[in-house]
Amino acid sequence: MSDALPPETTIATWTIPRVSGDPLTIDSAVGEVITVVGANGAGKSALATYIAGQTPTGKLHRVLAQRKIWFAASGPNISASGREQMVNNLNYWNTAIDSRFLDHADGQRTDITLFDLLGKIAAEDQRIAELVLTERRTPEEIEAIIGTRLFDVLNSVLEKAGLVIRVKITDKQTFMAVHRELGNEYPIAQMSDGERSALLLAAEVLVAPDNCIILLDEPERHLHRSISAGLVEALIDSRTDCAFVVLTHDLDLALGLSARPGKVLAALGVNWSENTIAGWDINEFSTEADLTENARRAILGGRKRILFIEGTTDSLDYALYSLLFPAWTLSASGNCEWVIRSVEGIKKTQSHHWVDAAGIVDGDGRSQQERDALITKGIHPIKVSEVESLYYMPAVLTAVATKFTQLDGKDTEQRVCAAKAAGIAALASNQGLHRIAKKLATDEVSRKLVTAVPSEITDPKITFNLPSPYAEIRARLDELHAGDNYEELVRIASIRDSAFRDRVAAALGAQSKEQYQSVARRAIAESPALIAELRLEVADQLFDRSDH
């Protein structure tokens, strides 16, 4: 680019009004990317319009979110004079307040993009002809002056995005798509929606003026997720003379862009006063913070209260905690270690974000001292051994039995008694109490070994002397079993590794444990009292902080 600005040159500075009353000042510099992440309705397109209106004329190239991706012909349907007449209109429409949802030039933008692409290619060809015929330059000199040909850049970008097509120009000044593997050709008007969207987005960026700010509003729209991130990053690499502003709700794209020089902003919402914006709920996020990927995703997703839990979004944890803590945004983090790391990372980096975080992990037989240590870190061990146990607490058991009784008229109390007896028998069968005691003892010793490891090790041999808790745990289990103490057995036993759930579900009349658990969630959702009781089994302090 002949007029390229030096690196980090600021093209524009924007002062964004915020609902907090403290404006956010942002510089847009060459070689940097400002990434704005937010859900639909968070004010991203309104922010794009505001930025367009605050940028010097000629220094911003805007690609609208509601861009049209179809065209009737495979070449520009506009004349040079028509293109010239559109310049002022486009500058006005791109900054108009209704451009956040309306494109006044939707019938012309694709033609203009194709026209400008052809024009840039023709100008490049003309310059090469001058270098060859007039200045008698060698091929090496021409390559040094021109650099990579624009058309080669375009096809390289499409390839890096994972598309199997390249584009070529016919002698009639139209564009053809060529399948890289099969070799068949077809007019670009016949490309798929994703291919057309990728081509037009790439062309829009490549024909943008030198040293400008390229504003991409939801570039992932009309693109498959496997394509969008690679395409956008390849386009940014192709225009190192420009600054970029990317507004997106694609967290994968945002995470990739966050590794580049620039800033990441999370938009949570926008306040309007009639047709005027009063301010955005928007904050800057430091990408240097020591955070797990789950924590980064939650923060970039614009969440204010994040509850990290074990398991996946398909697990029993997620389904139950969604009912118990609706005021929190859940983030399934896999195992206990990752829950702890995510919460600790967020709490240690409060100055880099604006969210509140907590975690829930299984009880796993932890001592009160272990529980208290985790709670001080914002991690709440549930009061039962594992999340499955919550589904089979007596109050839930009774609620589910009542549901089945409403269908067949059988006695609810008898149903509950039979289910409890079946559960107790299942835990004790086939040396079940021995296995439960062995697991609880092993878990307890494992945790004690971790805490017993010295901070510095210099001796050639280290000896650990830990008493086995097995006998005490087994005696307690035998006592509970002899007393038919269903509730306490459910609290401390690992029921997921036994026939307990299947036997209890069958005794109640359920076809499977999955059906029982589904009915249990429905019963919980319909009972505020049951929700309150289970919340207290999960986390007293978390319940106190929840909106309810």
Side-chain angles (χ1 to χ4, degrees), residues 397-468:
L397 202 66
T398 300
V400 174
T402 302
K403 287 284 187 184
F404 283 116
T405 296
Q406 291 171 353
L407 296 176
D408 59 21
K410 294 181 180 180
D411 185 80
T412 298
E413 186 176 348
Q414 290 180 359
R415 232 184 189 120
V416 171
C417 289
K420 287 181 178 180
I424 293 172
L427 291 176
S429 64
N430 299 321
Q431 292 192 317
L433 297 182
H434 164 67
R435 291 196 304 274
I436 294 170
K438 184 172 63 174
K439 180 182 185 304
L440 291 173
T442 301
D443 291 344
E444 182 178 331
V445 170
S446 296
R447 291 194 299 271
K448 287 181 177 179
L449 279 174
V450 171
T451 58
V453 173
S455 58
E456 294 184 2
I457 298 177
T458 56
D459 297 334
K461 185 177 181 180
I462 300 173
T463 301
F464 295 97
N465 185 14
L466 296 175
S468 171

Coordinates of all heavy atoms in Angstrom, one line a residue, residues 397-468:
L397 N -38.1 -37.7 46.5 CA -38.7 -39.0 46.3 C -40.2 -38.9 46.5 O -41.0 -39.5 45.7 CB -38.1 -39.9 47.4 CG -38.2 -41.4 47.1 CD1 -37.3 -41.8 45.9 CD2 -37.7 -42.2 48.3
T398 N -40.7 -38.2 47.6 CA -42.1 -38.1 47.8 C -42.8 -37.3 46.7 O -43.9 -37.7 46.3 CB -42.3 -37.4 49.2 OG1 -41.7 -38.1 50.2 CG2 -43.8 -37.2 49.5
A399 N -42.2 -36.2 46.2 CA -42.8 -35.4 45.1 C -42.9 -36.3 43.9 O -44.0 -36.2 43.2 CB -41.9 -34.2 44.9
V400 N -41.9 -37.1 43.6 CA -42.1 -38.0 42.4 C -43.1 -39.0 42.6 O -43.9 -39.3 41.7 CB -40.7 -38.6 42.1 CG1 -40.8 -39.6 40.9 CG2 -39.7 -37.5 41.7
A401 N -43.1 -39.6 43.8 CA -44.2 -40.6 44.1 C -45.6 -40.1 43.9 O -46.5 -40.7 43.4 CB -44.0 -41.2 45.5
T402 N -45.7 -38.8 44.4 CA -47.0 -38.1 44.2 C -47.4 -38.0 42.8 O -48.6 -38.2 42.4 CB -47.0 -36.8 44.9 OG1 -46.6 -36.9 46.3 CG2 -48.3 -36.1 44.8
K403 N -46.4 -37.7 41.9 CA -46.7 -37.5 40.5 C -47.2 -38.9 39.9 O -48.2 -38.9 39.1 CB -45.4 -37.1 39.8 CG -45.0 -35.7 40.0 CD -45.9 -34.7 39.2 CE -45.4 -33.3 39.2 NZ -46.3 -32.4 38.5
F404 N -46.6 -40.0 40.3 CA -47.0 -41.3 39.7 C -48.4 -41.7 40.3 O -49.2 -42.3 39.6 CB -46.0 -42.3 40.0 CG -44.8 -42.3 39.1 CD1 -43.5 -42.0 39.6 CD2 -44.9 -42.5 37.8 CE1 -42.4 -41.9 38.8 CE2 -43.8 -42.4 36.9 CZ -42.5 -42.1 37.4
T405 N -48.6 -41.3 41.6 CA -49.9 -41.7 42.2 C -51.0 -40.9 41.5 O -52.1 -41.5 41.3 CB -49.9 -41.3 43.7 OG1 -48.9 -42.1 44.3 CG2 -51.2 -41.5 44.3
Q406 N -50.8 -39.7 41.0 CA -51.8 -39.0 40.3 C -52.2 -39.7 39.0 O -53.3 -39.5 38.5 CB -51.3 -37.6 39.9 CG -51.2 -36.7 41.2 CD -50.4 -35.4 40.9 OE1 -49.9 -35.2 39.8 NE2 -50.4 -34.5 41.8
L407 N -51.3 -40.6 38.5 CA -51.6 -41.3 37.3 C -52.3 -42.6 37.5 O -53.2 -43.0 36.8 CB -50.3 -41.6 36.5 CG -49.6 -40.4 36.0 CD1 -48.2 -40.8 35.3 CD2 -50.4 -39.6 35.0
D408 N -51.9 -43.4 38.6 CA -52.5 -44.7 38.8 C -53.2 -44.9 40.1 O -53.8 -45.9 40.3 CB -51.4 -45.8 38.7 CG -50.3 -45.6 39.7 OD1 -50.5 -44.9 40.7 OD2 -49.2 -46.1 39.5
G409 N -53.3 -43.9 40.9 CA -54.1 -43.9 42.2 C -53.5 -44.8 43.3 O -54.1 -44.9 44.3
K410 N -52.3 -45.3 43.1 CA -51.7 -46.1 44.2 C -51.3 -45.3 45.4 O -51.1 -44.1 45.2 CB -50.5 -46.9 43.7 CG -50.8 -47.9 42.6 CD -49.6 -48.7 42.1 CE -49.9 -49.7 41.1 NZ -48.7 -50.5 40.6
D411 N -51.1 -45.9 46.5 CA -50.8 -45.1 47.8 C -49.4 -44.5 47.7 O -48.4 -45.3 47.5 CB -50.9 -46.1 49.0 CG -50.7 -45.3 50.3 OD1 -51.7 -44.6 50.7 OD2 -49.6 -45.3 50.8
T412 N -49.3 -43.2 47.9 CA -48.0 -42.5 47.8 C -47.0 -43.0 48.9 O -45.8 -43.3 48.7 CB -48.2 -41.0 47.9 OG1 -49.0 -40.6 46.8 CG2 -46.9 -40.3 47.9
E413 N -47.5 -43.1 50.1 CA -46.7 -43.5 51.3 C -46.1 -44.9 51.1 O -44.9 -45.1 51.3 CB -47.4 -43.4 52.6 CG -46.6 -43.6 53.8 CD -47.3 -43.4 55.1 OE1 -48.5 -42.9 55.1 OE2 -46.8 -43.8 56.2
Q414 N -46.9 -45.8 50.6 CA -46.4 -47.2 50.4 C -45.4 -47.2 49.3 O -44.4 -47.9 49.4 CB -47.6 -48.1 50.0 CG -48.5 -48.4 51.1 CD -49.7 -49.3 50.7 OE1 -49.8 -49.7 49.6 NE2 -50.5 -49.7 51.7
R415 N -45.6 -46.3 48.3 CA -44.6 -46.2 47.2 C -43.3 -45.7 47.7 O -42.2 -46.3 47.4 CB -45.2 -45.2 46.2 CG -45.2 -45.7 44.8 CD -45.7 -44.6 43.8 NE -45.9 -45.3 42.5 CZ -47.0 -45.3 41.9 NH1 -48.1 -44.7 42.4 NH2 -47.1 -45.8 40.7
V416 N -43.3 -44.7 48.5 CA -42.1 -44.1 49.1 C -41.4 -45.2 50.0 O -40.1 -45.3 49.9 CB -42.4 -42.8 49.9 CG1 -41.1 -42.4 50.6 CG2 -42.9 -41.7 48.9
C417 N -42.1 -45.8 50.8 CA -41.5 -46.9 51.7 C -40.8 -48.0 50.9 O -39.7 -48.4 51.2 CB -42.5 -47.5 52.6 SG -43.1 -46.3 53.9
A418 N -41.5 -48.4 49.8 CA -41.0 -49.4 49.0 C -39.7 -49.0 48.2 O -38.7 -49.7 48.1 CB -42.0 -49.9 47.9
A419 N -39.7 -47.7 47.8 CA -38.5 -47.2 47.1 C -37.3 -47.1 48.0 O -36.2 -47.4 47.7 CB -38.9 -45.8 46.5
K420 N -37.6 -46.6 49.3 CA -36.5 -46.5 50.3 C -35.9 -47.9 50.6 O -34.7 -48.0 50.6 CB -37.0 -45.8 51.5 CG -37.3 -44.3 51.4 CD -37.7 -43.7 52.7 CE -38.0 -42.2 52.6 NZ -38.4 -41.6 53.9
A421 N -36.8 -48.8 50.8 CA -36.3 -50.2 51.1 C -35.5 -50.8 49.9 O -34.4 -51.4 50.1 CB -37.5 -51.1 51.4
A422 N -36.0 -50.5 48.7 CA -35.2 -51.0 47.5 C -33.9 -50.3 47.4 O -32.9 -51.0 47.0 CB -36.1 -50.8 46.3
G423 N -33.8 -49.0 47.7 CA -32.6 -48.3 47.6 C -31.6 -48.8 48.7 O -30.4 -49.0 48.4
I424 N -32.0 -49.0 49.9 CA -31.1 -49.5 51.0 C -30.6 -50.8 50.6 O -29.4 -51.1 50.8 CB -31.9 -49.5 52.3 CG1 -32.2 -48.0 52.8 CG2 -31.0 -50.2 53.4 CD1 -33.1 -48.0 54.0
A425 N -31.5 -51.7 50.1 CA -31.0 -53.1 49.8 C -30.0 -53.0 48.6 O -29.1 -53.8 48.6 CB -32.3 -53.9 49.4
A426 N -30.2 -52.2 47.7 CA -29.3 -52.1 46.5 C -27.9 -51.6 47.0 O -26.9 -52.1 46.5 CB -29.9 -51.1 45.5
L427 N -27.8 -50.7 47.9 CA -26.6 -50.2 48.4 C -25.8 -51.3 49.2 O -24.6 -51.4 49.1 CB -26.7 -49.0 49.3 CG -27.2 -47.7 48.6 CD1 -27.4 -46.6 49.6 CD2 -26.2 -47.3 47.6
A428 N -26.5 -52.2 49.8 CA -25.9 -53.2 50.7 C -25.6 -54.5 49.9 O -24.8 -55.3 50.3 CB -26.8 -53.5 51.9
S429 N -26.2 -54.7 48.8 CA -26.1 -56.0 48.0 C -24.7 -56.1 47.4 O -24.0 -55.1 47.1 CB -27.1 -56.1 46.9 OG -26.9 -55.1 46.0
N430 N -24.2 -57.4 47.3 CA -22.9 -57.7 46.7 C -21.8 -56.9 47.3 O -21.0 -56.3 46.6 CB -23.0 -57.4 45.2 CG -24.0 -58.3 44.5 OD1 -24.2 -59.5 44.8 ND2 -24.8 -57.7 43.5
Q431 N -21.7 -56.9 48.6 CA -20.7 -56.2 49.3 C -20.7 -54.7 49.0 O -19.6 -54.1 49.0 CB -19.3 -56.8 49.0 CG -19.1 -58.2 49.6 CD -17.6 -58.6 49.5 OE1 -16.9 -58.4 48.6 NE2 -17.2 -59.3 50.6
G432 N -21.8 -54.2 48.8 CA -21.9 -52.8 48.4 C -21.4 -51.8 49.5 O -20.7 -50.8 49.2
L433 N -21.7 -52.1 50.8 CA -21.2 -51.2 51.8 C -19.7 -51.2 51.9 O -19.1 -50.2 52.2 CB -21.8 -51.6 53.2 CG -23.3 -51.5 53.3 CD1 -23.8 -52.0 54.7 CD2 -23.8 -50.1 52.9
H434 N -19.1 -52.4 51.6 CA -17.6 -52.5 51.6 C -17.1 -51.6 50.5 O -16.1 -50.8 50.7 CB -17.2 -53.9 51.4 CG -15.7 -54.0 51.0 ND1 -14.7 -53.7 51.8 CD2 -15.2 -54.4 49.8 CE1 -13.6 -53.9 51.1 NE2 -13.8 -54.4 49.9
R435 N -17.7 -51.6 49.3 CA -17.2 -50.8 48.2 C -17.4 -49.3 48.4 O -16.5 -48.5 48.1 CB -17.9 -51.2 46.9 CG -17.6 -52.6 46.4 CD -18.0 -52.8 44.9 NE -19.4 -52.5 44.8 CZ -20.4 -53.4 44.9 NH1 -20.0 -54.7 45.3 NH2 -21.7 -53.1 44.8
I436 N -18.5 -49.0 49.0 CA -18.7 -47.6 49.4 C -17.7 -47.1 50.4 O -17.1 -46.0 50.2 CB -20.2 -47.4 49.9 CG1 -21.2 -47.7 48.8 CG2 -20.4 -45.9 50.4 CD1 -22.6 -47.8 49.3
A437 N -17.5 -47.9 51.4 CA -16.5 -47.5 52.5 C -15.1 -47.4 51.9 O -14.3 -46.5 52.2 CB -16.5 -48.5 53.6
K438 N -14.8 -48.3 51.0 CA -13.4 -48.3 50.4 C -13.2 -47.0 49.5 O -12.2 -46.4 49.6 CB -13.3 -49.6 49.5 CG -11.9 -49.7 48.9 CD -11.7 -51.1 48.3 CE -12.7 -51.3 47.1 NZ -12.4 -52.5 46.4
K439 N -14.3 -46.7 48.8 CA -14.1 -45.5 47.9 C -14.0 -44.2 48.8 O -13.2 -43.4 48.5 CB -15.3 -45.4 47.0 CG -15.3 -44.1 46.1 CD -16.5 -44.0 45.2 CE -16.3 -42.9 44.2 NZ -16.1 -41.6 44.8
L440 N -14.9 -44.1 49.8 CA -14.9 -42.9 50.6 C -13.5 -42.8 51.3 O -13.0 -41.7 51.5 CB -16.0 -42.9 51.6 CG -17.4 -42.8 51.0 CD1 -18.5 -43.0 52.1 CD2 -17.6 -41.4 50.4
A441 N -13.0 -43.9 51.8 CA -11.7 -43.9 52.5 C -10.6 -43.6 51.5 O -9.7 -42.8 51.9 CB -11.4 -45.3 53.1
T442 N -10.6 -44.1 50.3 CA -9.6 -43.8 49.3 C -9.6 -42.3 49.0 O -8.6 -41.7 48.9 CB -9.8 -44.6 48.1 OG1 -9.7 -46.0 48.4 CG2 -8.7 -44.3 47.0
D443 N -10.8 -41.7 48.8 CA -10.9 -40.3 48.4 C -10.4 -39.5 49.6 O -9.7 -38.5 49.3 CB -12.4 -40.0 48.2 CG -12.9 -40.6 46.9 OD1 -12.1 -41.0 46.1 OD2 -14.1 -40.6 46.7
E444 N -10.7 -39.8 50.8 CA -10.3 -39.0 52.0 C -8.7 -39.1 52.1 O -8.1 -38.0 52.3 CB -10.9 -39.5 53.2 CG -10.5 -38.8 54.5 CD -11.2 -39.3 55.7 OE1 -12.3 -39.8 55.6 OE2 -10.6 -39.1 56.8
V445 N -8.1 -40.2 52.0 CA -6.7 -40.3 52.1 C -6.0 -39.6 50.9 O -5.0 -38.9 51.1 CB -6.3 -41.8 52.1 CG1 -4.7 -42.0 51.9 CG2 -6.7 -42.5 53.3
S446 N -6.6 -39.7 49.7 CA -6.0 -39.0 48.6 C -5.9 -37.5 48.8 O -4.9 -36.8 48.5 CB -6.8 -39.3 47.3 OG -6.7 -40.6 47.0
R447 N -7.0 -36.9 49.3 CA -7.0 -35.5 49.6 C -6.0 -35.1 50.7 O -5.3 -34.1 50.7 CB -8.4 -35.0 50.0 CG -9.4 -35.1 48.9 CD -10.7 -34.3 49.2 NE -11.4 -34.9 50.4 CZ -12.3 -35.9 50.3 NH1 -12.6 -36.4 49.2 NH2 -12.8 -36.4 51.4
K448 N -5.9 -36.0 51.7 CA -5.0 -35.7 52.8 C -3.5 -35.8 52.3 O -2.7 -35.1 52.8 CB -5.2 -36.7 54.0 CG -6.5 -36.4 54.8 CD -6.6 -37.4 55.9 CE -7.9 -37.0 56.7 NZ -8.1 -38.0 57.9
L449 N -3.3 -36.7 51.4 CA -1.9 -36.8 50.9 C -1.5 -35.6 50.1 O -0.4 -35.1 50.2 CB -1.8 -38.0 49.9 CG -1.6 -39.4 50.6 CD1 -1.7 -40.5 49.5 CD2 -0.3 -39.5 51.3
V450 N -2.4 -35.0 49.4 CA -2.2 -33.8 48.6 C -1.8 -32.7 49.6 O -0.8 -31.9 49.4 CB -3.4 -33.4 47.7 CG1 -3.1 -32.0 47.1 CG2 -3.6 -34.4 46.6
T451 N -2.6 -32.5 50.6 CA -2.3 -31.4 51.6 C -1.0 -31.7 52.4 O -0.4 -30.8 53.0 CB -3.5 -31.2 52.5 OG1 -3.8 -32.4 53.2 CG2 -4.7 -30.8 51.7
A452 N -0.7 -33.0 52.6 CA 0.5 -33.4 53.4 C 1.8 -33.2 52.6 O 2.9 -33.2 53.3 CB 0.4 -34.8 53.9
V453 N 1.8 -33.0 51.3 CA 3.0 -32.8 50.6 C 3.7 -31.5 51.0 O 3.1 -30.5 51.0 CB 2.8 -32.8 49.1 CG1 4.0 -32.5 48.3 CG2 2.2 -34.2 48.6
P454 N 5.0 -31.6 51.4 CA 5.7 -30.4 51.9 C 5.9 -29.4 50.7 O 6.0 -29.8 49.6 CB 7.0 -30.9 52.4 CG 7.2 -32.2 51.8 CD 5.8 -32.8 51.6
S455 N 6.0 -28.1 51.1 CA 6.2 -27.1 50.0 C 7.6 -27.2 49.4 O 7.8 -26.8 48.3 CB 5.9 -25.7 50.6 OG 6.8 -25.5 51.7
E456 N 8.5 -27.7 50.2 CA 9.9 -27.8 49.7 C 10.4 -29.3 50.0 O 10.2 -29.7 51.1 CB 10.9 -26.8 50.3 CG 10.6 -25.4 49.9 CD 11.6 -24.5 50.5 OE1 12.6 -24.9 51.1 OE2 11.5 -23.2 50.3
I457 N 10.9 -29.9 49.0 CA 11.4 -31.3 49.2 C 12.9 -31.4 49.0 O 13.4 -31.1 47.9 CB 10.7 -32.2 48.2 CG1 9.2 -32.2 48.5 CG2 11.2 -33.7 48.4 CD1 8.3 -33.1 47.5
T458 N 13.6 -31.7 50.0 CA 15.1 -31.8 49.9 C 15.6 -33.2 50.4 O 16.7 -33.6 50.0 CB 15.8 -30.7 50.8 OG1 15.3 -30.8 52.1 CG2 15.5 -29.3 50.2
D459 N 14.8 -33.8 51.3 CA 15.2 -35.1 51.8 C 15.2 -36.2 50.7 O 14.3 -36.2 49.8 CB 14.4 -35.6 53.0 CG 14.5 -34.6 54.1 OD1 15.6 -33.9 54.2 OD2 13.5 -34.4 54.9
P460 N 16.0 -37.2 50.8 CA 16.0 -38.3 49.8 C 14.8 -39.2 49.9 O 14.4 -39.9 48.9 CB 17.3 -39.1 50.1 CG 17.6 -38.8 51.5 CD 17.1 -37.4 51.7
K461 N 14.1 -39.2 51.0 CA 13.0 -40.0 51.2 C 11.9 -39.3 52.0 O 12.2 -38.6 53.0 CB 13.3 -41.3 51.9 CG 12.2 -42.3 52.0 CD 12.7 -43.6 52.7 CE 11.6 -44.6 52.8 NZ 12.0 -45.9 53.4
I462 N 10.7 -39.4 51.6 CA 9.6 -38.8 52.3 C 8.6 -39.8 52.8 O 8.2 -40.7 52.0 CB 8.8 -37.8 51.4 CG1 9.8 -36.7 50.9 CG2 7.6 -37.1 52.2 CD1 9.2 -35.8 49.9
T463 N 8.2 -39.8 54.1 CA 7.3 -40.8 54.6 C 6.0 -40.1 55.1 O 6.0 -39.1 55.7 CB 8.0 -41.5 55.9 OG1 9.2 -42.1 55.5 CG2 7.0 -42.5 56.4
F464 N 4.9 -40.7 54.6 CA 3.6 -40.3 55.1 C 3.0 -41.3 56.0 O 3.1 -42.5 55.7 CB 2.7 -40.1 53.8 CG 3.1 -39.1 52.9 CD1 3.9 -39.4 51.7 CD2 2.8 -37.7 53.1 CE1 4.3 -38.4 50.9 CE2 3.2 -36.7 52.2 CZ 3.9 -37.1 51.1
N465 N 2.5 -40.8 57.1 CA 1.9 -41.7 58.1 C 0.4 -41.3 58.3 O 0.2 -40.4 59.1 CB 2.7 -41.7 59.4 CG 2.1 -42.7 60.4 OD1 1.3 -43.6 60.1 ND2 2.5 -42.6 61.7
L466 N -0.5 -41.8 57.5 CA -1.9 -41.4 57.6 C -2.7 -42.6 58.1 O -2.6 -43.7 57.5 CB -2.4 -41.0 56.3 CG -1.8 -39.7 55.7 CD1 -2.3 -39.5 54.3 CD2 -2.0 -38.5 56.6
P467 N -3.5 -42.5 59.2 CA -4.4 -43.6 59.6 C -5.5 -43.9 58.6 O -6.0 -42.9 57.9 CB -4.9 -43.1 60.9 CG -4.9 -41.6 60.8 CD -3.7 -41.3 60.0
S468 N -5.8 -45.1 58.4 CA -6.9 -45.5 57.5 C -8.2 -45.1 58.1 O -8.5 -45.6 59.2 CB -6.8 -46.9 57.1 OG -8.0 -47.3 56.4

